[in-house]
Amino acid sequence: MHQRDAAWFDALFAEHSRAVFRYFVRRAPRSDADDLTADVFTTAWRRRQQITADLELAWLYRTAGFVLANHRRKGRPIPLASVPEQIDDTDSAQWAESADDIREVMRQLSAKDRQVLLLTAWDGLSGDQLAVVLGVSRGGADAALSRARARLREAWCKVQRVGDISRSEEP
């Protein structure tokens, strides 16, 4: 077994700290992201023997989910993760309208569906990594992703229909 010493931990931190930090920035106030990231890596150090080789990032994301849940239980308000602000200069009004639609669709999904979609789309987890984060088999993770995508499509179509109706009613 690979020795889980300070050098191993330094390499783990160097490779994955930005990803864990970004995970929190998308889900919690930016002012809390550093502390939450530190909590994840403190846990990683304490439980370093439990981290499966080649699934380190998935283990860190799973731990981040627990850290975030504990943080939320403390009663601090956590806003819905916002859409990244990459404005297209050619048509910022259209971008703003799309961003609002995306936020509305995400609000309509369950917390689990949002988690599954964000872990795969924003955090880039593979099926095996998603399974580790969710604490289910690979088949269970694939099924959760498939169901979440189906509900995302339904919510998107619903928001688009409502938007089309309201836009047609505008003077």
Side-chain angles (χ1 to χ4, degrees):
M1 178 178 203
H2 183 24
Q3 187 172 355
R4 304 291 172 96
D5 57 9
W8 171 86
F9 183 78
D10 289 345
L12 178 78
F13 185 83
E15 186 174 350
H16 299 301
S17 61
R18 288 181 51 114
V20 172
F21 177 79
R22 287 191 310 260
Y23 173 94
F24 286 121
V25 166
R26 290 189 290 266
R27 292 165 175 86
R30 188 175 188 86
S31 60
D32 294 340
D34 283 322
D35 290 338
L36 295 170
T37 301
D39 288 347
V40 169
F41 282 95
T42 299
T43 303
W45 175 252
R46 281 195 328 263
R47 298 189 177 179
R48 62 190 175 274
Q49 298 306 329
Q50 299 171 7
I51 301 173
T52 304
D54 298 325
L55 291 174
E56 291 91 351
L57 183 58
W59 188 94
L60 291 168
Y61 280 143
R62 181 170 172 78
T63 302
F66 293 133
V67 167
L68 185 59
N70 288 338
H71 178 72
R72 287 177 174 163
R73 276 194 286 279
K74 292 178 182 177
R76 296 179 187 165
I78 306 292
L80 178 67
S82 62
V83 175
E85 304 256 350
Q86 296 178 353
I87 298 174
D88 178 4
D89 292 334
T90 59
D91 192 354
S92 59
Q94 184 179 1
W95 178 88
E97 187 176 301
S98 294
D100 289 343
D101 287 349
I102 293 167
R103 285 186 190 98
E104 179 57 32
V105 167
M106 294 302 282
R107 276 187 209 100
Q108 291 181 21
L109 299 175
S110 70
K112 183 178 180 180
D113 284 346
R114 281 193 306 270
Q115 177 190 31
V116 168
L117 293 166
L118 294 176
L119 285 170
T120 56
W122 275 352
D123 298 314
L125 292 187
S126 69
D128 290 334
Q129 293 170 323
L130 182 62
V132 170
V133 173
L134 297 177
V136 299
S137 68
R138 170 63 191 261
D142 290 344
L145 180 57
S146 177
R147 287 190 301 268
R149 285 178 174 162
R151 287 189 278 269
L152 176 66
R153 276 189 298 276
E154 289 172 18
W156 182 255
C157 289
K158 181 178 173 186
V159 165
Q160 292 302 298
R161 281 192 301 272
V162 169
D164 290 344
I165 292 169
S166 65
R167 281 188 286 277
S168 69
E169 293 174 354
E170 292 176 1

